[in-house]
Amino acid sequence: MTWQRTLNRALARYTKYQVKPVGKAEATEEVPFRPPVEPAIDRLLTAPVFLMSPVRSGSTLLRAMLNAHPDLHAPHELHVRRLTVGFGTSLAEKAMAELGHTRSDLEHLLWDRVLHRELVRSGKRFVVDKTPANAFAHERIAACWPDARFVFLLRHPASIAASWAEASPDRRTPEEAAVDALRYMKAVQRARKALPGLTVRYEDLTAGPEQVTREICAFVGVPWAAEMLTYGEPDVVRKGLGDWTEKIRSGRVQPGRELPDPDLVPETLKPMCRAWGYLE
């Protein structure tokens, strides 16, 4: 444990406040947003696919498998929703207003352009974005692309928390990992309730990859491709942009870890385990 964590815990204990690094917390600014005013000319992308999942839920594995499909381009985590637009001057703001653009409209144009460029460079039909933090902005993403398709990837909450702790043991304890990962799980659950889509499970993906990928292909509207089962090493393996461990570098689907003993599941995760059908 670092001295910074010790100091932060003491601060939280006695003042109820904590110090958080700049850029780590979810953005709190509320920016009004709306669907594209003229979809035919405001959007270059057609029917993008968003893989909504918590951290450490197997999303890098699934995106690598999808990227091996000849029609699907699934790059590393792109975090396009963090790309913002500033007017710079009041005249620029007035000029854009005369064109009918709000700040969020311009940001949506930027997001769409970035993803479209990636898709065109790939030569494929559909782009897939699997950034876990997208779940926190699911309403805005759905407004930006009204024709978007959503695939929800679930995993046993206790397995997610354990993997999250193992990913950076110097940064978070198992207890802290459970609380932090639960934020992502709750965001995904809110998105599942608000948006139509297909729900798949990591445990099913690792146990029967062909069946799950066939379901996803049918949902997305592309033929199933056997290449997804032997996806090879992902093109980008870097901490912060997805899973970077040796397991994902193997280039093949490996068995998932055994499900946790129900009696050992942390109390804080049990409600989500029940909501997702992992506990009765």
Side-chain angles (χ1 to χ4, degrees):
M1 179 182 299
T2 65
W3 67 267
Q4 293 98 329
R5 184 184 297 170
T6 302
L7 179 61
N8 212 25
R9 283 184 171 177
L11 184 66
R13 185 179 305 114
Y14 294 109
T15 69
K16 306 304 181 185
Y17 292 97
Q18 286 187 331
V19 176
K20 291 187 177 181
V22 175
K24 293 296 184 181
E26 288 300 313
T28 58
E29 180 183 4
E30 292 293 334
V31 179
F33 58 87
R34 60 186 178 182
V37 177
E38 298 180 79
I41 60 176
D42 288 350
R43 296 294 176 268
L44 298 176
L45 273 182
T46 300
V49 180
F50 289 90
L51 176 56
M52 294 285 189
S53 66
V55 293
R56 310 303 297 178
S57 59
S59 59
T60 298
L61 170 64
L62 181 52
R63 84 95 177 161
M65 297 173 73
L66 295 177
N67 192 52
H69 193 289
D71 289 333
L72 303 176
H73 179 49
H76 60 80
E77 295 175 11
L78 297 177
H79 300 272
V80 292
R81 78 177 189 89
R82 292 299 197 184
L83 302 179
T84 60
V85 168
F87 292 111
T89 67
S90 59
L91 285 177
E93 185 172 3
K94 290 178 181 178
M96 292 300 101
E98 285 297 316
L99 296 179
H101 298 314
T102 66
R103 173 185 160 187
S104 62
D105 291 338
L106 295 173
E107 289 176 347
H108 290 173
L109 288 172
L110 173 61
W111 300 355
D112 184 74
R113 182 66 181 90
V114 170
L115 290 183
H116 183 262
R117 179 179 183 273
E118 278 303 300
L119 181 61
V120 171
R121 290 177 68 206
S122 73
K124 297 185 178 184
R125 292 177 58 197
F126 301 110
V127 70
V128 181
D129 185 3
K130 76 92 175 173
T131 309
N134 281 345
F136 292 103
H138 67 271
E139 293 175 325
R140 189 168 177 185
I141 288 174
C144 180
W145 293 283
D147 61 345
R149 282 82 57 81
F150 298 93
V151 176
F152 304 100
L153 176 63
L154 307 185
R155 186 183 185 184
H156 194 298
S159 296
I160 291 175
S163 182
W164 194 223
E166 293 165 3
S168 297
D170 58 324
R171 293 183 56 189
R172 59 184 75 92
T173 66
E175 294 75 18
E176 291 169 338
V179 172
D180 191 39
L182 185 59
R183 295 188 305 112
Y184 288 87
M185 299 180 217
K186 289 181 176 179
V188 170
Q189 184 67 353
R190 290 192 295 269
R192 287 183 69 213
K193 291 182 177 180
L195 303 173
L198 173 69
T199 296
V200 298
R201 296 178 184 271
Y202 170 77
E203 293 84 2
D204 295 334
L205 178 65
T206 54
E210 180 174 338
Q211 178 180 345
V212 172
T213 52
R214 283 186 179 278
E215 291 175 5
I216 295 174
C217 287
F219 173 73
V220 174
V222 295
W224 183 75
E227 299 97 301
M228 292 187 289
L229 302 183
T230 53
Y231 61 87
E233 181 173 335
D235 51 355
V236 175
V237 182
R238 187 174 306 139
K239 188 172 184 179
L241 298 178
D243 194 347
W244 66 98
T245 61
E246 290 300 320
K247 191 171 183 179
I248 195 67
R249 290 173 185 270
S250 70
R252 58 184 178 85
V253 181
Q254 298 186 28
R257 70 174 75 199
E258 293 185 7
L259 292 182
D261 185 328
D263 294 332
L264 300 180
V265 173
E267 287 297 325
T268 187
L269 297 179
K270 286 185 176 179
M272 189 59 67
C273 288
R274 296 189 183 97
W276 286 358
Y278 287 99
L279 284 180
E280 296 182 358

